[in-house]
Amino acid sequence: MIPLSKPAPASAGITGTWRTYKPVVSLDKCIDCGLCWLYCPESVIDWEKGHKVTIDYTYCKGCGICADVCPVKAINMIPEEA
Ligand code: SF4
Ligand code: SF4
């Protein structure tokens, strides 16, 4: 049998506690391309064509990859509240 591993949230616990910056989506700028969903290493972005992006902050670790890959800069990384 070949061992398979699929990406899934929580493979390293409640990764939301790691965050110092939080991705916030400006839905008015979003062009529904799905790149943030595709590249999020924690698989915590929920996206489907025609439905807007949502992020599960319990597991989002704040890496900023989603903001980097968004072609229209619809995702901003803002500091977490101290
Ligand atoms: S910052 Fe973006 S890419 Fe990184 S874990 Fe959170 S939602 Fe995913
Ligand atoms: S990458 Fe940006 S434009 Fe594309 S779905 Fe995500 S937020 Fe929207």
Side-chain angles (χ1 to χ4, degrees):
M1 180 188 284
I2 301 170
L4 292 177
S5 172
K6 292 185 179 174
S11 56
I14 306 291
T15 38
T17 58
W18 298 3
R19 219 173 37 238
T20 52
Y21 281 81
K22 175 180 184 171
V24 176
V25 185
S26 300
L27 292 176
D28 55 326
K29 288 188 192 167
C30 173
I31 57 169
D32 212 13
C33 70
L35 284 179
C36 55
W37 168 81
L38 186 65
Y39 281 95
C40 174
E42 296 296 325
S43 301
V44 298
I45 297 183
D46 195 17
W47 169 83
E48 224 179 291
K49 200 80 180 162
H51 295 85
K52 292 297 184 177
V53 166
T54 55
I55 297 173
D56 183 345
Y57 291 116
T58 304
Y59 297 108
C60 164
K61 63 187 178 187
C63 67
I65 290 173
C66 54
D68 285 344
V69 298
C70 178
V72 293
K73 302 293 171 210
I75 303 178
N76 288 305
M77 299 301 292
I78 61 162
E80 286 284 342
E81 300 289 326

